[in-house]
Amino acid sequence: MKVLSATILSSCVALSTSFLHPIHHHQNALSFCPTTRSTSSSPLPMGLFDFFSEDAKKEREARRQAEIEEQERYQQEILERRKNPAKMEEYEARVRVRRSLRMSGNDEAADRVAMYKGKAENEEEE
């Protein structure tokens, strides 16, 4: 019994490590041949490594900067609205319209109500 177990174990180990040894007597599409390598002169997007490329860093920084600028525009609009009663009334009217649309179940129309000037401009671009 011990001999049989040892034999089975050794054959399993041999089969599981056989992929590590190159096969030179059969040259087919599935055999491992260390002398044939393909090289490419064009860079391929590799996913994780592209995250660290210079272009990707610049793109992330540009997106981050655009988001910051958008938030600053919204903040300025809020501050202007707080100072100007007419703008505050206009904003409150838009809020009432949006709320009534939501209460009536018309969420798509409520989503289209532009609460900020910057948002209305961005929606037109998309």
Side-chain angles (χ1 to χ4, degrees), residues 31-42:
S31 66
F32 173 73
C33 185
T35 58
T36 57
R37 293 185 182 176
S38 64
T39 59
S40 174
S41 60
S42 63

Side-chain angles (χ1 to χ4, degrees), residues 11-67:
S11 65
C12 289
V13 170
L15 289 174
S16 66
T17 59
S18 65
F19 71 92
L20 297 175
H21 303 292
I23 302 171
H24 294 291
H25 59 279
H26 291 80
Q27 293 299 325
N28 60 21
L30 298 176
S31 66
F32 173 73
C33 185
T35 58
T36 57
R37 293 185 182 176
S38 64
T39 59
S40 174
S41 60
S42 63
L44 295 174
M46 300 300 286
L48 176 64
F49 298 110
D50 287 341
F51 182 78
F52 300 107
S53 73
E54 201 61 39
D55 293 336
K57 287 180 184 178
K58 288 177 184 177
E59 183 180 329
R60 281 193 312 276
E61 183 61 32
R63 276 188 277 147
R64 184 177 155 274
Q65 190 62 35
E67 185 176 347

Side-chain angles (χ1 to χ4, degrees), residues 17-122:
T17 59
S18 65
F19 71 92
L20 297 175
H21 303 292
I23 302 171
H24 294 291
H25 59 279
H26 291 80
Q27 293 299 325
N28 60 21
L30 298 176
S31 66
F32 173 73
C33 185
T35 58
T36 57
R37 293 185 182 176
S38 64
T39 59
S40 174
S41 60
S42 63
L44 295 174
M46 300 300 286
L48 176 64
F49 298 110
D50 287 341
F51 182 78
F52 300 107
S53 73
E54 201 61 39
D55 293 336
K57 287 180 184 178
K58 288 177 184 177
E59 183 180 329
R60 281 193 312 276
E61 183 61 32
R63 276 188 277 147
R64 184 177 155 274
Q65 190 62 35
E67 185 176 347
I68 290 172
E69 289 171 1
E70 179 185 28
Q71 291 171 355
E72 288 175 350
R73 283 192 307 271
Y74 288 152
Q75 184 66 31
Q76 287 301 317
E77 188 175 335
I78 290 169
L79 293 174
E80 289 173 14
R81 189 172 55 228
R82 287 180 182 170
K83 291 177 186 177
N84 188 342
K87 288 185 180 182
M88 191 63 177
E89 288 177 22
E90 178 184 337
Y91 170 76
E92 289 173 350
R94 283 186 267 162
V95 168
R96 280 191 301 274
V97 168
R98 188 183 64 183
R99 285 181 184 162
S100 66
L101 288 170
R102 290 242 189 250
M103 294 300 278
S104 66
N106 197 349
D107 290 336
E108 292 84 18
D111 288 338
R112 288 190 300 262
V113 173
M115 299 306 295
Y116 298 97
K117 293 177 188 174
K119 187 168 185 170
E121 293 169 3
N122 288 342

